[in-house]
C-alpha cells in the first residue's frame, strides 16, 4: 500500500497498543487514521509476551482501564471474526508469609472498593483448585475469578482487523525517520516511504518509543529489560481451565500453554538490554537463552509444582520488555510537543492494558483531555531528570526487581540517590533527617531522635518512625516546626496579559491587588480538578505560582497548554531559583519577628493570604502567609544560594521558642487533622470542587469566564452523587492507608482516598467520597452509620463533615 500524503492521525507502532489505539480512533471517533509499522504487526515485543491479563491495580482509574481490556477481549471476536485467545481462568496469588497475607487482605478490600470480588483461600482450597501445586509453605492465596490470559498476537491481529473495518489504514514495512516541526508542533512525519502531513501523532512504538520521541525533542523514559520464560511440554493435570498463578514470594508466575505451563519470573538481578538506541531491525528476534540467570526461577518453580522436575521444556523465550522507572506505564500528551501523544513502557502489562490503553489514548488525543484520572501513568509525572538514560536504567532495574516484592506502605526507591538536594541537605542529615525522594529531590520525611536508627524499617503495621513523627507533629501544634520544602515546583508568569490569562484558567479569583495570594484549582471541561496550587501576585504584571514537587511537569504543561491564544505573558519555571522553608506553629510569629526585626509581621500588618518581601540575615525573602498544617505559618521563599543562612538564623532564634525540625510525614498527619485535600489522592481530575468541599474556591458569583465554568455551574446546581468526608476510628492500632472500603449502614458507599494517623486526636484518620446515585447531602451523610473495611475486616468509624482540628489562632478563610 502506498502512503497517503496526509492523515489526521498517524499512529506509530503496530503492537497491541498501536493497533488498539487505531481501532478506537476509527471506531469511536471516525478519525482518518494511518498506522505505520516498521516491520510487521506484533514484531517488536507483543509477539513474545506471556499474555497474562490481570485487572486490579492500586488506582481506581487504572483498574477501570484494565477491566475495559477484559470486556473488549471477550467480545472482539464477534465483531471481527478473529479469535483473541481470551480465557477467563481466574488468577491465584500465593502468600507464603504474614506480611504478604496482610497485603492480600488489603488487596481484597481494594478489589471490593473497585467493584470486584476477590476471594481469600486457605492452602487446602488452593490445593483443591490446583492439585499439582505444593502448598506446604502457603499461608493462603487470593483468587480473582475474572482475570485470565490471552494470545497477544491474536488480540493484536483482531484489533488491526477491527481498525481496518472502521476505516483505518495500516501500512507495514514503513519506518519513521523524523518529523518536520513548526515550533512545538509536528507538521509532517518523515518515513522510509515518503512524507505524510498530519494533525496528530501517537507514539506507540514500544521499545523504540524513546528514540521516536527524541526525533521530536520528547523524552520517553523507558528501558528495555531482558525477560525470560519457558514453555513446557504437556503436563498431565494441566488443562485450559487451569487458573494462572502468581507466586510473588518465589518471584514466579505460571499460566497454561497448550496443556503445559509457561513459567517465568521477576528476578532481583535483572539484565538491561541497552541504554542506547534499539536496533530498528530487531523484529521477531530473541536473545540467546540464559539458563544460568533463569535457574533461580526454575528452582522456585519446581518447588511450587514438583511435576516440573520431570517435564520437558519446549522453548525458552528471552526477549525485551519495556519497563519504566516507577513500574507504571506511560500515557498522555508529551509536554515538549503540542501534538504528540505517547503510549509505551507497559512493564509487562501491555496485554492486560492494551484494550483500555488504546481507548483512553484515542479519547485523550481527540478531545485534548484524558477521560479519567490517569495521573499515575501520565507522562507528565517525569521531569528533565528522566533524560539521563543511565539514571533511568538504574532506577528501572530496581523497579523491575520490585515487581513481585511486598508493597510495603511508604516504601522508597534507593537507586540513583541522592540526585537533587537542597542547600540544607548536609545540615539536615547531620540532625538526623531520613530522606525520601520525589522527582529526584531528596526531602526529609522524618528526623531520627537520639537512639533511633535513622532509616525506614518497613512493615505492614506501624513503622519505626511512628513515634518520632508524632513528636514532630506535636511540636508544630504546641510550639513551632521548620520544614525544608525547597523542592516545591515554582513558576513565574509575567507580562501585561498575565492577570487576564490566569483569570481565564483559575477557578478562584486571582485578580487581587499585588501582595495577595490565592488558593485555586484549575479545572478540565468536566469540572474535574487538574491542578491545585497557590497563586501569589507580586506586581501588576508578575505572578508567582507554587505547586507540589511531583506535579512540576504536569502543572507547568497544563498551564502553558491552556493559556488563551495570543496571551501576552511568559511562563518561566523558577523551581531551582528559590529554596523554601515553611515556619509553622503557634510560636511562628515570635520566631519570624526576631529573625526579621526590621519587618512588622503582626497579624494587623501581615494577614493570612498576603505576601510581602521581608529581610532575614540580610537576604530578601518572599514571605507567604499560608498554611497546609492548620497552624499560624509562613512559607519563606529564599534565593537558593541564601537558604542556608536563613535556615541558620531561624534555628538560632527559634531555639528559645522550642523550634523543631519536621518532615513530610508530619505534614501528612497535620493536614489530615485540618482537612486539607491532597491532589492525586483526595482531589483528582475525576472530582469537582463541590464534591470535594471546595466550592467556596470557585468564582461562579463573579460572572467571570474560566476553564470548566459550564461544568462547575452544573455541579453547583445539581444534586451531588458523591461527597468527600472525614472518618476517624477509635482503635489507635488500625492502619489506614487509602482504598479501604466505606460501608454505610452495612452497604458499600465508597472508599478512602487517603489515610493516616492524627497525633493530636490520637486516632487514625481517613478521607473518602461517600457515594449515592440518588444524591448525597449533609443530612444523608450524618444519618448513616459507618464502618471502614481494613484488610478485609470491618471497623466501626465516625463520619465528620468539618475539620477534625481547627486552632483558634489561624482561620483558613481569614
Amino acid at each position: 500500500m502506498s502512503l497517503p500524503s496526509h492523515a489526521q492521525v498517524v499512529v506509530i507502532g503496530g503492537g497491541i497498543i498501536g493497533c488498539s489505539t487505531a481501532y478506537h480512533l476509527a471506531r469511536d471517533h471516525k478519525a482518518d487514521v494511518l498506522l505505520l509499522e516498521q516491520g510487521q504487526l506484533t514484531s517488536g515485543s507483543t509477539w513474545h509476551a506471556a499474555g497474562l491479563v490481570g485487572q486490579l491495580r492500586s488506582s481506581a482509574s487504572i483498574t477501570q482501564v484494565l477491566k475495559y481490556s477484559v470486556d473488549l477481549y471477550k467480545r472482539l471476536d464477534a465483531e471481527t471474526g478473529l479469535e483473541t485467545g481470551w480465557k477467563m481462568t481466574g488468577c491465584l496469588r500465593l502468600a507464603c508469609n504474614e506480611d504478604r497475607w496482610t497485603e492480600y487482605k488489603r488487596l481484597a478490600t481494594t478489589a471490593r472498593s473497585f467493584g470486584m470480588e476477590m476471594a481469600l483461600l486457605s492452602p487446602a482450597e488452593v490445593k483443591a483448585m490446583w492439585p499439582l501445586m505444593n502448598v506446604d509453605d502457603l499461608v493462603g492465596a487470593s483468587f480473582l475469578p475474572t482475570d485470565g490470559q490471552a494470545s497477544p498476537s491474536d488480540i493484536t491481529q483482531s484489533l488491526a482487523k477491527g481498525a481496518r473495518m472502521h476505516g483505518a489504514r495500516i501500512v507495514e514495512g514503513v519506518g519513521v525517520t523524523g518529523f518536520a516541526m513548526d515550533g512545538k508542533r509536528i507538521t509532517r512525519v518523515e518515513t522510509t516511504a515518503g512524507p505524510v502531513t498530519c494533525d496528530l501523532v501517537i507514539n506507540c512504538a514500544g521499545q523504540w518509543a524513546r528514540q521516536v520521541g527524541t526525533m521530536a525533542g520528547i523524552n520517553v523514559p523507558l528501558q528495555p529489560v531482558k525477560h525470560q520464560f519457558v514453555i513446557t511440554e504437556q503436563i498431565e493435570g494441566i488443562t485450559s481451565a487451569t487458573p494462572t498463578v502468581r507466586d510473588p514470594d518465589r518471584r514466579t508466575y505460571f499460566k497454561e500453554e497448550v496443556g503445559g505451563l509457561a513459567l517465568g519470573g521477576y528476578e532481583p538481578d535483572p539484565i538491561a538490554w541497552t541504554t542506547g538506541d534499539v536496533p530498528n531491525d530487531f523484529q521477531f528476534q530473541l536473545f540467546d537463552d540464559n539458563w544460568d540467570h533463569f535457574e533461580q526461577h526454575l528452582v522456585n518453580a519446581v518447588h511450587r509444582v514438583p511435576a516440573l522436575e520431570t517435564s520437558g521444556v519446549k522453548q525458552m523465550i528471552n526477549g525485551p520488555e519495556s519497563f519504566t522507572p516507577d513500574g507504571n506505564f506511560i500515557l498522555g500528551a508529551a509536554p515538549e510537543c503540542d501534538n504528540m501523544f505517547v503510549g509505551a513502557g507497559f512493564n509487562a502489562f501491555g496485554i492486560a492494558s492494551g484494550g483500555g490503553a488504546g481507548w483512553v489514548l484515542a479519547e485523550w488525543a481527540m478531545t485534548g483531555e484524558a477521560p479519567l484520572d490517569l495521573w499515575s501513568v501520565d507522562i507528565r509525572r517525569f521531569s528533565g531528570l528522566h533524560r539521563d538514560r543511565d539514571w533511568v536504567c538504574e532506577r528501572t532495574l530496581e523497579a523491575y526487581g520490585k515487581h513481585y516484592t511486598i508493597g510495603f506502605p511508604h516504601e522508597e526507591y534507593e537507586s540513583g540517590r541522592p540526585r537533587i538536594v537542597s542547600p540544607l541537605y548536609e545540615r539536615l542529615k547531620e540532625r538526623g533527617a531520613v530522606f525520601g525522594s520525589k522527582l529526584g529531590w531528596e526531602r526529609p520525611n522524618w528526623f531520627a531522635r537520639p537512639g533511633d536508627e535513622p532509616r525506614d524499617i518497613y512493615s505492614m503495621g506501624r513503622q519505626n518512625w511512628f513515634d518520632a513523627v508524632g513528636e514532630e507533629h506535636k511540636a508544630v501544634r504546641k510550639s513551632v516546626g521548620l520544614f525544608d520544602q525547597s523542592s516545591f515546583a515554582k513558576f513565574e508568569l509575567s507580562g501585561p496579559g498575565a492577570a487576564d490569562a490566569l483569570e481565564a484558567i483559575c477557578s478562584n479569583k486571582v485578580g487581587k491587588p499585588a501582595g495577595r495570594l490565592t488558593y485555586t484549582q484549575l479545572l478540565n471541561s468536566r469540572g474535574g480538578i487538574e491542578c491545585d496550587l497557590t497563586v501569589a501576585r507580586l506586581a501588576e504584571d508578575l505572578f508567582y505560582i507554587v505547586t507540589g514537587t511531583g506535579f512540576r511537569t504536569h502543572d507547568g504543561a497544563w498551564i502553558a497548554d491552556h493559556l488563551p491564544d495570543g496571551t501576552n505573558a511568559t511562563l518561566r519555571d523558577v523551581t531551582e531559583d528559590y529554596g523554601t522553608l515553611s515556619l509553622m506553629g503557634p510560636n511562628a510569629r515570635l520566631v519570624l519577628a526576631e529573625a526579621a526585626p526590621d519587618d512588622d509581621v503582626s497579624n494587623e500588618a501581615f494577614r493570612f493570604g498576603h505576601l510581602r518581601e521581608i529581610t532575614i540575615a540580610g537576604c530578601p525573602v518572599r514571605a507567604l502567609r499560608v498554611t497546609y498544617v492548620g497552624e499560624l505559618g509562613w512559607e519563606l521563599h529564599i534565593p537558593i544560594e541564601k537558604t542556608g543562612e536563613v535556615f541558620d538564623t531561624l534555628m538560632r532564634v527559634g531555639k528559645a521558642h522550642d523550634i523543631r525540625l519536621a518532615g513530610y510525614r508530619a505534614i501528612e498527619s497535620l493536614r489530615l487533622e485540618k482537612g486539607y485535600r491532597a491532589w492525586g489522592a483526595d482531589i483528582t481530575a475525576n472530582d469537582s470542587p463541590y464534591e470535594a468541599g471546595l466550592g467556596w474556591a470557585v468564582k461562579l458569583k463573579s460572572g467571570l469566564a474560566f476553564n470548566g465554568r459550564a461544568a462547575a455551574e452544573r455541579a453547583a446546581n445539581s444534586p451531588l452523587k458523591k461527597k468527600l468526608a472525614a472518618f476517624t476510628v477509635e482503635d489507635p492500632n488500625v492502619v489506614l492507608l487509602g482504598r479501604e472500603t466505606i460501608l454505610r449502614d452495612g452497604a458499600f458507599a465508597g472508599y478512602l482516598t487517603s489515610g493516616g494517623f492524627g497525633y493530636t486526636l490520637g486516632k487514625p484518620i481517613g478521607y473518602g467520597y461517600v457515594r449515592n446515585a440518588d444524591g448525597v447531602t449533609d443530612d444523608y451523610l450524618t444519618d448513616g452509620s459507618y464502618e471502614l473495611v481494613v484488610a478485609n475486616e470491618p471497623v466501626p468509624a465516625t463520619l465528620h463533615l468539618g475539620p477534625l482540628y481547627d486552632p483558634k489562632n489561624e482561620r483558613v478563610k481569614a
Side-chain angles (χ1 to χ4, degrees):
M1 179 189 293
S2 62
L3 293 188
S5 61
H6 176 82
Q8 181 186 6
V9 187
V10 174
V11 177
I12 302 170
I16 189 168
I17 308 301
C19 288
S20 177
T21 302
Y23 167 80
H24 287 92
L25 285 166
R27 187 196 71 177
D28 298 344
H29 302 278
K30 312 306 177 192
D32 169 27
V33 183
L34 173 65
L35 185 150
L36 301 176
E37 164 55 49
Q38 65 179 353
Q40 294 176 260
L41 298 185
T42 78
S43 62
S45 296
T46 298
W47 72 276
H48 61 71
L52 295 173
V53 179
Q55 298 168 83
L56 184 60
R57 298 294 287 268
S58 59
S59 157
S61 291
I62 304 307
T63 298
Q64 186 176 338
V65 168
L66 299 179
K67 288 171 72 174
Y68 178 94
S69 293
V70 168
D71 292 340
L72 178 64
Y73 300 162
K74 286 178 183 177
R75 55 181 167 77
L76 188 61
D77 59 341
E79 178 184 343
T80 68
L82 294 181
E83 293 291 334
T84 63
W86 166 249
K87 292 187 293 185
M88 195 173 77
T89 57
C91 179
L92 285 163
R93 292 171 173 84
L94 311 182
C96 299
N97 56 68
E98 289 299 330
D99 277 342
R100 182 74 70 181
W101 188 233
T102 299
E103 181 180 48
Y104 286 176
K105 287 189 285 187
R106 288 190 171 278
L107 201 61
T109 302
T110 299
R112 184 177 184 185
S113 292
F114 295 169
M116 294 184 284
E117 287 299 326
M118 175 180 277
L120 296 175
L121 307 180
S122 68
E125 291 171 312
V126 175
K127 184 72 172 179
M129 186 179 288
W130 231 92
L132 294 182
M133 188 185 298
N134 172 17
V135 300
D136 292 350
D137 60 342
L138 295 190
V139 176
S142 67
F143 181 65
L144 195 60
T146 53
D147 281 355
Q149 61 188 76
S151 166
S153 293
D154 288 348
I155 292 175
T156 304
Q157 294 294 348
S158 189
L159 287 165
K161 183 177 180 183
R164 291 187 184 103
M165 289 167 60
H166 291 287
R169 288 168 288 187
I170 297 177
V171 182
E172 297 174 293
V174 173
V176 172
T177 59
F179 302 101
M181 308 285 294
D182 180 6
K184 290 178 61 181
R185 190 170 190 83
I186 296 170
T187 59
R188 188 172 67 244
V189 180
E190 307 290 354
T191 82
T192 54
V196 181
T197 61
C198 62
D199 302 324
L200 293 171
V201 175
I202 304 183
N203 177 2
C204 302
Q207 59 196 346
W208 292 276
R210 182 169 62 182
Q211 56 221 61
V212 168
T214 300
M215 297 176 191
I218 292 161
N219 183 39
V220 184
L222 55 79
Q223 173 62 48
V225 180
K226 296 181 179 181
H227 183 73
Q228 297 186 99
F229 65 95
V230 298
I231 299 171
T232 73
E233 303 285 357
Q234 289 191 357
I235 300 172
E236 187 174 349
I238 299 296
T239 72
S240 61
T242 297
T244 61
V245 175
R246 289 178 171 86
D247 188 3
D249 293 315
R250 292 186 175 273
R251 297 179 176 271
T252 52
Y253 60 80
F254 306 87
K255 77 168 184 110
E256 183 272 338
E257 184 82 18
V258 198
L261 287 174
L263 70 95
Y266 293 90
E267 60 276 10
D269 55 343
I271 301 173
W273 181 15
T274 176
T275 56
D277 286 351
V278 175
N280 288 338
D281 60 358
F282 196 86
Q283 300 160 22
F284 292 122
Q285 291 186 54
L286 297 172
F287 305 117
D288 292 339
D289 298 346
N290 189 341
W291 288 101
D292 289 341
H293 195 68
F294 193 73
E295 183 181 10
Q296 57 191 303
H297 297 314
L298 281 179
V299 170
N300 283 320
V302 169
H303 170 89
R304 184 61 62 214
V305 185
L308 287 169
E309 193 163 13
T310 56
S311 65
V313 173
K314 288 200 298 189
Q315 185 183 12
M316 171 176 273
I317 307 290
N318 184 5
E321 295 272 5
S322 294
F323 285 78
T324 65
D326 61 2
N328 290 325
F329 44 88
I330 300 173
L331 289 180
E336 307 94 333
C337 178
D338 290 342
N339 62 338
M340 180 182 274
F341 292 78
V342 179
F346 280 84
N347 303 279
F349 284 102
I351 308 310
S353 312
W359 160 56
V360 297
L361 260 179
E363 291 286 327
W364 206 333
M366 297 306 291
T367 67
E369 286 184 357
L372 304 166
D373 165 36
L374 296 173
W375 165 240
S376 63
V377 297
D378 193 322
I379 191 171
R380 295 170 296 180
R381 71 187 187 274
F382 300 118
S383 69
L385 159 70
H386 296 90
R387 291 185 177 275
D388 182 337
R389 290 191 175 189
D390 291 334
W391 189 93
V392 166
C393 181
E394 184 180 358
R395 177 58 61 85
T396 300
L397 293 181
E398 184 184 4
Y400 179 105
K402 290 178 179 287
H403 198 82
Y404 274 172
T405 58
I406 294 170
F408 287 113
H410 313 292
E411 189 171 1
E412 295 277 352
Y413 284 100
E414 297 179 0
S415 60
R417 297 177 57 188
R419 177 67 184 211
I420 307 170
V421 299
S422 89
L424 305 180
Y425 179 73
E426 292 299 335
R427 286 174 170 87
L428 300 179
K429 191 174 180 181
E430 289 170 3
R431 290 168 167 86
V434 181
F435 293 92
S437 178
K438 179 66 73 76
L439 213 62
W441 282 84
E442 292 293 314
R443 313 190 312 168
N445 278 338
W446 62 285
F447 287 83
R449 305 161 300 178
D452 288 340
E453 188 173 357
R455 69 180 183 95
D456 288 331
I457 300 174
Y458 300 117
S459 76
M460 297 304 287
R462 294 279 178 234
Q463 297 186 357
N464 67 312
W465 45 262
F466 183 79
D467 290 337
V469 170
E471 292 185 11
E472 295 170 24
H473 176 116
K474 290 169 186 172
V476 176
R477 289 278 184 253
K478 298 295 184 183
S479 55
V480 61
L482 187 64
F483 303 88
D484 179 13
Q485 296 190 279
S486 299
S487 62
F488 270 159
K490 314 165 196 83
F491 302 89
E492 288 181 352
L493 186 71
S494 59
D500 289 342
L502 278 175
E503 207 71 89
I505 65 173
C506 293
S507 62
N508 205 352
K509 194 171 189 309
V510 296
K512 299 173 181 176
R516 297 291 303 276
L517 58 86
T518 305
Y519 166 68
T520 186
Q521 289 85 44
L522 312 184
L523 306 183
N524 58 36
S525 65
R526 305 189 307 277
I529 300 169
E530 287 286 349
C531 309
D532 177 73
L533 41 77
T534 300
V535 176
R537 191 168 197 172
L538 302 178
E540 190 70 19
D541 59 354
L542 178 61
F543 291 82
Y544 185 56
I545 302 167
V546 183
T547 189
T549 305
F551 314 138
R552 178 179 183 175
T553 305
H554 174 276
D555 289 8
W558 205 95
I559 292 168
D561 289 347
H562 289 81
L563 293 175
D565 291 341
T567 291
N568 187 6
T570 301
L571 183 70
R572 190 166 68 93
D573 187 326
V574 295
T575 298
E576 277 80 21
D577 292 356
Y578 295 93
T580 303
L581 292 173
S582 292
L583 186 70
M584 301 283 162
N587 292 347
R589 181 175 283 114
L590 298 174
V591 175
L592 194 61
E594 288 188 40
D598 297 331
D599 296 284
D600 185 353
V601 297
S602 66
N603 190 55
E604 294 72 27
F606 201 153
R607 299 191 64 79
F608 185 83
H610 287 65
L611 70 139
R612 287 181 24 212
E613 184 172 290
I614 63 175
T615 302
I616 301 176
C619 306
V621 175
R622 289 177 180 174
L624 283 61
R625 188 169 163 200
V626 65
T627 180
Y628 190 56
V629 299
E631 297 290 347
L632 170 70
W634 283 265
E635 280 179 18
L636 305 174
H637 294 254
I638 309 150
I640 193 79
E641 69 278 4
K642 299 292 187 180
T643 307
E645 296 171 46
V646 173
F647 172 84
D648 292 341
T649 299
L650 292 170
M651 291 299 291
R652 176 175 52 79
V653 303
K655 189 173 182 179
H657 304 289
D658 297 323
I659 197 168
R660 181 164 184 150
L661 293 172
Y664 275 83
R665 292 194 177 135
I667 291 174
E668 179 66 7
S669 67
L670 290 158
R671 74 97 186 166
L672 286 170
E673 288 187 339
K674 189 63 180 75
Y676 291 126
R677 281 67 166 137
W679 191 84
D682 308 313
I683 50 177
T684 73
N686 289 348
D687 310 308
S688 81
Y690 298 93
E691 295 165 336
L694 298 172
W696 57 268
V698 182
K699 58 188 176 195
L700 288 183
K701 292 180 181 178
S702 72
L704 295 169
F706 60 91
N707 264 41
R709 181 182 177 106
E713 287 178 332
R714 289 194 297 272
N717 296 302
S718 304
L720 297 176
K721 306 292 185 183
K722 64 177 184 179
K723 190 169 183 180
L724 191 70
F727 296 87
T728 56
V729 171
E730 291 300 316
D731 183 352
N733 296 311
V734 169
V735 178
L736 298 181
L737 300 171
R739 298 184 299 281
E740 291 85 359
T741 303
I742 301 168
L743 300 179
R744 181 183 182 276
D745 297 338
F748 175 83
Y751 54 89
L752 296 189
T753 52
S754 62
F757 191 83
Y759 293 92
T760 311
L761 278 65
K763 297 177 182 179
I765 299 170
Y767 284 84
Y769 288 91
V770 177
R771 300 160 191 264
N772 181 34
D774 295 328
V776 178
T777 63
D778 286 356
D779 286 344
Y780 176 85
L781 290 173
T782 55
D783 284 348
S785 175
Y786 293 91
E787 295 173 295
L788 301 177
V789 183
V790 183
N792 227 34
E793 296 293 331
V795 177
T798 303
L799 177 141
H800 307 264
L801 292 181
L804 302 171
Y805 175 82
D806 194 8
K808 293 183 174 64
N809 65 346
E810 185 77 346
R811 290 283 181 258
V812 174
K813 301 175 195 175

